[in-house]
Amino acid sequence: MKPVSYIARPTQRMPLRPIPASELSNEGPGNEGPGDATLYRLGHSSVLIRLDGHYLLTDPVFSKRASPVQWAGPSRFHPVPFELDDLPPLSAVVISHDHYDHLDKQSILDLASKTDYFLMPLGVGDHLRRWGIDDEQIMELDWWDEVELDSLVLAATPAQHFSGRGLTDRNRSLWASWVILGTQGRLFFSGDTGYFDGFKEIGEHYGPFDITMIETGAYNPLWTHVHMLPEQGAQAHIDLGGRAMLPIHNSTFNLSNHDWFDPLEQATALAEQRNIQLVTPVIGEAVSITAPQPTAAWWRPLMPDRAGSARADLTAGPEFP
């Protein structure tokens, strides 16, 4: 495939019809075998992880819009692939920073009775306290701080980004990537970040990783100090010593000016060039952490040159119940 032209006008910033999603069912979370280490991508940067018998959830954003209000702002491309009651009890919800597409008030409130702890960088806990979350559930970490949950070790690690939810709170809280270590596997979750030499340091300190969950989406050449281009994300995976790479931060919200499918197309091409094992599951599909299997390019039938669809009004996004 030809290299991406980041300045070309995109043809399809939102899918013309809903993207596929696999609903979490009786064969999903809570019903794995006793030795299974599994993850489920739920959309954008939300990933449900089962490791050492514990369930963890990263950056849960389950509202219709990634926005301070639900009547305006980026709308979801697909429904959430579960009902709240379908989620098993969580040991921790892991939050990377306080932007609306990573920290969603309603999702936090809905999960308060389902999780033991909310883990987050310094300062983010102030939001949760204002929302009424019990202070005993809130754990705030600085970079390189670690917390143990039975056999799991979770570490807040550096990232190159920024924070703030309004006009007056810019950078008053910290942002972080996360390392998740268990006896069954080793994971890295990037959160949002630009490319920097910190990936090599994290890899040297905690790697290698079975799966890296790497920000690949909502990029722009003008934003590379806070959001990686696809080729930078691939290099971050290599720096970390990752075995398999799961591209996140794509396929759920329109947050930049590239085609909605471009992150996965670019990641696929780069994986072939750089001999990276790529994992691109359908939303809600189970992925083995210890032995990830090849996944289909589910987005390609929805691409305009393959679907043969005419241009349409993309302002509202696809409809779903």
Side-chain angles (χ1 to χ4, degrees):
M1 86 182 265
K2 295 180 180 180
V4 64
S5 174
Y6 294 111
I7 61 173
R9 175 175 289 278
T11 58
Q12 196 180 109
R13 290 176 63 181
M14 301 181 187
L16 297 179
R17 51 187 196 273
I19 70 173
S22 177
E23 290 188 8
L24 302 188
S25 65
N26 292 333
E27 298 179 356
N31 294 278
E32 302 94 344
D36 291 345
T38 310
L39 62 78
Y40 307 82
R41 189 176 175 214
L42 304 182
H44 201 53
S45 298
S46 303
V47 182
L48 178 66
I49 299 164
R50 184 182 192 269
L51 192 64
D52 289 10
H54 290 269
Y55 286 95
L56 310 171
L57 179 59
T58 66
D59 286 357
V61 177
F62 302 139
S63 294
K64 183 176 181 179
R65 297 181 185 274
S67 171
V69 296
Q70 287 301 297
W71 48 266
S75 181
R76 302 183 69 90
F77 298 166
H78 60 84
V80 178
F82 64 90
E83 299 292 336
L84 186 63
D85 290 343
D86 294 336
L87 281 182
L90 305 170
S91 294
V93 171
V94 180
I95 298 165
S96 64
H97 64 298
D98 70 356
H99 288 159
Y100 285 97
D101 60 320
H102 295 263
L103 179 64
D104 175 49
K105 177 181 178 180
Q106 189 58 54
S107 298
I108 295 297
L109 294 176
D110 289 343
L111 290 166
S113 63
K114 299 280 291 187
T115 188
D116 293 336
Y117 300 104
F118 293 96
L119 273 59
M120 66 210 70
L122 294 176
V124 179
D126 290 343
H127 297 297
L128 276 68
R129 294 183 185 95
R130 285 195 298 271
W131 300 340
I133 301 300
D134 192 324
D135 195 59
E136 294 184 356
Q137 289 182 277
I138 298 172
M139 301 179 69
E140 295 180 270
L141 282 71
D142 199 353
W143 290 346
W144 304 112
D145 284 349
E146 298 179 355
V147 61
E148 294 184 8
L149 298 177
D150 293 332
S151 62
L152 298 181
V153 175
L154 292 92
T157 44
Q160 184 171 288
H161 199 54
F162 65 106
S163 66
R165 291 168 72 85
L167 299 177
T168 62
D169 65 343
R170 188 175 178 89
N171 293 344
R172 291 191 178 180
S173 63
L174 191 60
W175 49 93
S177 57
W178 287 88
V179 167
I180 302 170
L181 308 178
T183 60
Q184 291 184 311
R186 308 171 75 86
L187 302 172
F188 176 80
F189 174 72
S190 73
D192 278 4
T193 180
Y195 179 77
F196 72 130
D197 57 9
F199 293 118
K200 290 182 180 179
E201 185 178 6
I202 295 167
E204 290 168 356
H205 194 75
Y206 287 112
F209 297 99
D210 294 290
I211 295 181
T212 66
M213 295 165 274
I214 300 291
E215 178 204 61
T216 313
Y219 43 76
N220 185 298
L222 299 177
W223 307 340
T224 54
H225 60 298
V226 292
H227 285 292
M228 291 186 287
L229 298 174
E231 54 267 35
Q232 294 173 320
Q235 186 60 50
H237 167 81
I238 294 170
D239 292 351
L240 289 159
R243 187 178 70 181
M245 172 179 161
L246 172 67
I248 58 173
H249 207 251
N250 60 69
S251 306
T252 301
F253 299 109
N254 172 23
L255 300 174
S256 186
N257 61 350
H258 56 66
D259 291 318
W260 73 270
F261 50 79
D262 191 69
L264 297 179
E265 277 292 283
Q266 296 301 319
T268 299
L270 289 161
E272 293 173 355
Q273 295 169 9
R274 304 190 184 187
N275 196 30
I276 294 171
Q277 181 182 1
L278 198 68
V279 182
T280 55
V282 168
I283 298 297
E285 180 182 358
V287 173
S288 169
I289 291 172
T290 55
Q293 299 300 306
T295 48
W298 55 263
W299 61 93
R300 285 185 173 164
L302 301 180
M303 291 170 59
D305 59 334
R306 296 172 184 265
S309 300
R311 291 290 300 279
D313 180 5
L314 303 181
T315 58
E319 291 297 323
F320 50 79

